[in-house]
Structure formats: structure tokens, C-alpha cells
Amino acid sequence: MIIDDGILFRQAAEKDAGTLVRLHDQAARWMQKHGIDQWKPGDKDAAHFRARMDDGEVWLGGDCDGRVVGAYELWWSDEDAWGVQPPVAGYVHRLMVEREAAPAGAGRRLLEHAERRIAGTGRERARLDCVSTNPRLLAYYRAAGYRVVGELPNKVGKDGRTYGVILLEKRLDRLSAV
């Protein structure tokens, strides 16, 4: 377990899959309520999160009382969005915050934790993508130091739905590793 600015970080285990589903569905409902067409409740099940744990890393952030305040997935490749790439980056996905329990700035701290994890492997870039129809999220990532490096206008999701994504990247300058 790693303590970072009041958030306790730990890698998710199989027993956490239900918590991750709940967190994802809460975030999806919040997006829908605010007119953001991105995630849908029920899109990610426990099998999805277990597969991400097997293929990469899934991290949970919690408070000192043991409540989960957020989570994210960290992948070591993302060919669907970025194509075949040399191993110079980590790919952050499904940055989720529990809006009722998370302290202010928790999303940024989750993102910074992911960046330190990536830097700790010797990789020099953090990459992520966001749907092109979500200008608030794009602005959030840009404010966190990410720059737009491309666009994939016709990404095909696992459900067959086609949508556009903006590709973003941040150079990691020797961040202290986790």
C-alpha cells in the first residue's frame, strides 16, 4: 500500500471487481446526468476489470477510513487507439472518482499516481485518449499537462459503436517513482 497526499493506493485484486463495476456505473450515471455521452452504466462488468488486472494494472485509491475514492486502469500498450508503438509509454484508462467520498483534487492525484507508476518502469510518456465530444474532459487533461498529439475519428468500441477520440500525451520528466 502506498500513501500519497492522503490517498492510500493499492493494486486491485479479484475481490475488488464488484467495487470497480460500481464505481464505473456511478461515473457513467454522473456523465449522463450532465449531458456527457461517453460511458454507459453496465458497459463494464467484473470480467472486464479482472481482465485488465491480468493484462496490466488496476489501482484503487482510498481514504484513511478504507472507503474507495477512485480508481484507474494502467495498460502497457493500446493498439486499438495508438497502433503498434515502441514500449515508451503507459496508457491510462477509466480514471474514475467516487464523487461522494473523494476529496477535492482526487482525480488529479490518481492521474499523478499513474504517471509515477509509468515513470517507475523507465517509460517516458503517459498517454490517454478521450472521446472527441467531451470538451470538459479534454480541458481537464490539458490542464494536467497533456498535449493533443492526434485524433482517431473512427475508433470502433468492443460493442461495435464507432466514435472519435482525441489522443493525448505527457512527457514524464523523472517523476519520483511509486
Side-chain angles (χ1 to χ4, degrees):
M1 194 168 302
I2 300 160
I3 300 174
D4 180 12
D5 199 19
I7 295 181
L8 306 172
F9 287 96
R10 68 176 176 82
Q11 272 192 275
E14 187 171 330
K15 67 180 177 64
D16 298 310
T19 299
L20 291 160
V21 169
R22 179 188 55 76
L23 193 58
H24 176 272
D25 287 351
Q26 281 180 339
R29 283 189 293 278
W30 182 90
M31 287 177 190
Q32 287 180 331
K33 179 180 176 185
H34 290 87
I36 300 167
D37 183 24
Q38 188 164 335
W39 296 353
K40 308 284 185 268
D43 273 356
K44 304 296 177 210
D45 60 9
H48 164 85
F49 289 104
R50 283 194 293 273
R52 297 295 65 81
M53 289 177 218
D54 290 343
D55 294 343
E57 298 179 7
V58 180
W59 284 85
L60 294 168
D63 65 15
C64 60
D65 294 325
R67 290 179 301 214
V68 172
V69 298
Y72 68 89
E73 296 176 11
L74 181 55
W75 302 3
W76 300 112
S77 68
D78 184 0
E79 291 182 17
D80 288 345
W82 292 82
V84 176
Q85 296 285 319
V88 298
Y91 301 82
V92 181
H93 287 274
R94 264 163 287 292
L95 182 66
M96 304 176 283
V97 174
E98 207 313 333
R99 295 195 175 270
E100 298 298 319
R108 186 67 59 91
R109 291 206 298 275
L110 289 160
L111 189 56
E112 290 166 353
H113 183 266
E115 293 164 0
R116 284 192 300 280
R117 286 288 307 145
I118 295 164
T121 68
R123 295 181 184 214
E124 60 196 39
R125 295 183 182 122
R127 291 181 176 152
L128 48 82
D129 62 74
C130 70
V131 295
S132 54
T133 57
N134 191 342
R136 285 176 58 186
L137 186 57
L138 178 59
Y140 178 83
Y141 287 134
R142 292 183 80 168
Y146 286 78
R147 65 183 184 88
V148 174
V149 295
E151 184 172 3
L152 182 60
N154 296 310
K155 184 175 180 183
V156 178
K158 303 273 187 244
D159 61 359
R161 186 174 53 112
T162 301
Y163 54 97
V165 295
I166 306 292
L167 304 174
L168 297 111
E169 178 178 272
K170 181 178 183 178
R171 282 190 79 63
L172 306 175
D173 297 321
R174 300 216 176 3
L175 299 170
S176 56
V178 181

